[in-house]
Amino acid sequence: LEVGGIIAVNAVGGISGRNAPGTLTAPDQLIDYTWGRAHSFSMSANESLQHVEFARPFDGHLRWGLIKAAAAVQVDVNAGGCIGVTQGPRFETAAEIQRFKQDGCDMVGMTTMPEAALAREAGLDYASLCVTANWAAGLEDEPVSMEAIGTTLKDAMLKVHDVLAALFEELCHDN
C-alpha cells in the first residue's frame, strides 16, 4: 500500500494548564506507563531483535504538517507536550495524576503506546493530534463525567476535521 505514516487522533485528559478541555496538542514526547503490551514486532525467537531510536517519538514530517495545517486554518494547536500513556481502561487515580505531573506529563491517555514505537520499528512516521477531553482525574472536585467528555469531544472534533482536511490537501499537493 506504500503507507508512509500514521496520524492518530487521541482523546486525553489535561494535566498542565495549557491543556484545558477542548485544547488540541501535537505532542513531541511521551512517557510509557503501560505493561503487558507487545512493544515490538520482533518478539519471537524466529525474528531478529530490532533496537529502534526513539528519543523523539513524534519527530517527523507529519507532526510538523499538523502544526502547519492548524495554523493555515487558524486552529490553535499546542506545538509540543508530553503525553503519559497509561494502561486503561480505568481512569487514573488522583495520586497517579500527581505523579505524572511531577514526571513532566502535560496530558494522560490510554493510547499511543505501543503504536508509536511499532510505527517507528516499521519505518513509518507517526504523529498524534491529542484532543483534551477533560481535566485528568482528581484535578477537579467533580468526578470525570462521560457526558462532559462527549460534549467537549463533539465540539473539538470539528477543529480536528479542519486541521486534517488542510493537512491532507497539502499532502496531496506535495505528491
Side-chain angles (χ1 to χ4, degrees):
L1 296 176
E2 298 183 31
V3 173
I6 298 168
I7 300 169
V9 177
N10 307 91
V12 298
I15 296 176
S16 69
R18 67 190 207 130
N19 286 92
T23 302
L24 302 183
T25 302
D28 59 347
Q29 277 298 324
L30 67 80
I31 299 176
D32 184 9
Y33 299 99
T34 65
W35 68 92
R37 299 178 181 186
H39 281 72
S40 175
F41 291 118
S42 58
M43 297 296 288
S44 72
N46 298 338
E47 300 176 44
S48 61
L49 182 63
Q50 292 186 46
H51 295 282
V52 294
E53 201 286 324
F54 204 56
R56 290 171 182 77
F58 304 105
D59 194 25
H61 74 280
L62 287 178
R63 178 175 168 272
W64 292 108
L66 283 170
I67 294 165
K68 181 180 172 185
V73 294
Q74 299 179 351
V75 171
D76 291 332
V77 171
N78 289 332
C82 181
I83 180 170
V85 186
T86 62
Q87 189 66 19
R90 69 164 175 84
F91 288 121
E92 300 73 29
T93 67
E96 287 169 330
I97 294 301
Q98 289 305 312
R99 175 187 171 197
F100 302 157
K101 187 175 185 176
Q102 290 173 353
D103 288 352
C105 297
D106 298 294
M107 306 155 279
V108 62
M110 299 171 200
T111 55
T112 309
M113 282 301 290
E115 300 93 87
L118 292 172
R120 179 66 57 89
E121 187 176 324
L124 300 173
D125 190 3
Y126 184 93
S128 173
L129 185 58
C130 293
V131 182
T132 304
N134 57 285
W135 285 113
L139 296 181
E140 293 187 302
D141 293 334
E142 299 297 317
V144 174
S145 156
M146 293 307 295
E147 183 178 329
I149 288 173
T151 300
T152 301
L153 289 177
K154 182 179 176 187
D155 294 339
M157 289 307 289
L158 297 173
K159 296 186 288 187
V160 169
H161 179 272
D162 291 345
V163 171
L164 292 178
L167 174 62
F168 295 149
E169 185 174 321
E170 183 66 28
L171 291 174
C172 287
H173 284 109
D174 288 349
N175 291 325

